[in-house]
Amino acid sequence: MKKRFLFSTLLALAGSSALADKVVSIGYSGPLSGGAAFYGKDVQSGIDMAIAELNRTGVTVKGEKVTFKLVALDDRYLPNETATNVKRLTSQGIDIVFVPHAGGILTVQPLTNRDPEFLLVAYSSEPKILDSRNPLTFMLPPRYDNYLQPFTATQMKAFGKRLGLIGTTSAYGKQWTDAISDEWKKQGGTVLSNNGVDYNTTVDYSSAVTKALAEKPDVLFIGGPSQPTALVVKAAREQGFKGGFIVMDQAKFEQMDQVIPRSYLDGSVGVLPTKEFAGTQLFVTLYQRLYKKIPTSEAALNYMGMNIIAKAMELAGTTDDPNAIRAQLNAAAKALPQSKTVYKLFGVTDKGHVDAEFVVASVKGGKYTRLRLIKTFK
């Protein structure tokens, strides 16, 4: 096992040499500026909230009291900057690193088992993350291919068979676009031109929307970070589009309706808002009190992930052996109280994937209608 030196801090009280808690740094590389900044900060807030609670209640690892500190770096949603940030974090002795976008995750996965090793906490639904079978990856959300069949069947039945594409052009967005296109064709539909744009840099979506609507789609596939996705919906509705939307799982209804009227979202399918899940009321109340905004799964799943990590450290008896911590994730998830799990949690699979329940929903008459219960495991 590699050697790491994490130093306990001396309490510099007059005449005192008592040792303080062991401070364990947790790394984070995500978009904290640019078009995806709200998304990146939502992820960070969930980790921050968990760390604050853990430090308040106390964590003991092998008889030693531990406190946590988050070291967050901005990668602007750029995978090459993610890699630079991760190398910087691990060179500082950090053994746990959260990354919330597929491009960055897939770029740094090969680095996890090099010297120094680290546990990569992946917040993305890209199936390739699990398909790589990387032994030091811990993936939080469900794979997006769980959504393809119900999203397609629901919208094709309700609106028709012509699908327009205006997804984000990130690596993750391109994979989603290809996957939903294949599923749409599989179910007998017609896929129109791809008018995808970079949601991280685009300000005016009217041109892309105009091009897509010129082909008379019945349904539009859209998605990326929530705020720009809402602007795509706004442009489509204001140009007279009456059809349905398939909303990529990265975009959240509860954030989109803070930007546009919820009536614009009628006829959309996506993921049920976190606050609509049973058992999430405590988390939602505490989060809103702290951050003055509605929590999404970005905050909730990363809050849950950090709590699982801390419990796994307790069970493994180490804060700096990522392999030992990874081995205890399933037991740790099962040992968490409901107040810390947010969603209904079954454990962590052998592939390192959180196994929990999520709900596919549609928006009708300004209200959320539950369509299907799914588990993250697949």
Side-chain angles (χ1 to χ4, degrees), residues 183-230:
E183 181 64 30
W184 193 268
K185 293 174 185 176
K186 179 181 177 182
Q187 294 192 33
T190 299
V191 177
L192 307 176
S193 301
N194 185 353
N195 292 284
V197 292
D198 185 349
Y199 282 34
N200 195 38
T201 59
T202 304
V203 177
D204 183 357
Y205 295 90
S206 58
S207 177
V209 168
T210 299
K211 291 177 182 177
L213 295 187
E215 295 185 293
K216 307 297 183 183
D218 299 310
V219 179
L220 289 176
F221 167 68
I222 61 174
S226 299
Q227 289 76 15
T229 302

Side-chain angles (χ1 to χ4, degrees), residues 226-266:
S226 299
Q227 289 76 15
T229 302
L231 296 180
V232 177
V233 172
K234 182 175 185 289
R237 292 304 190 208
E238 291 181 351
Q239 290 187 35
F241 180 62
K242 304 296 185 183
F245 294 102
I246 291 177
V247 181
M248 185 192 301
D249 59 334
Q250 185 179 2
K252 304 301 186 295
F253 287 144
E254 61 266 48
Q255 288 184 323
M256 293 170 68
D257 69 15
Q258 302 296 303
V259 180
I260 56 176
R262 187 176 295 183
S263 61
Y264 282 16
L265 294 172
D266 276 1

Side-chain angles (χ1 to χ4, degrees), residues 319-338:
T319 61
D320 58 6
D321 183 344
N323 288 285
I325 295 166
R326 165 68 179 79
Q328 292 297 327
L329 291 177
N330 183 44
K334 292 179 177 179
L336 285 187
Q338 179 61 40

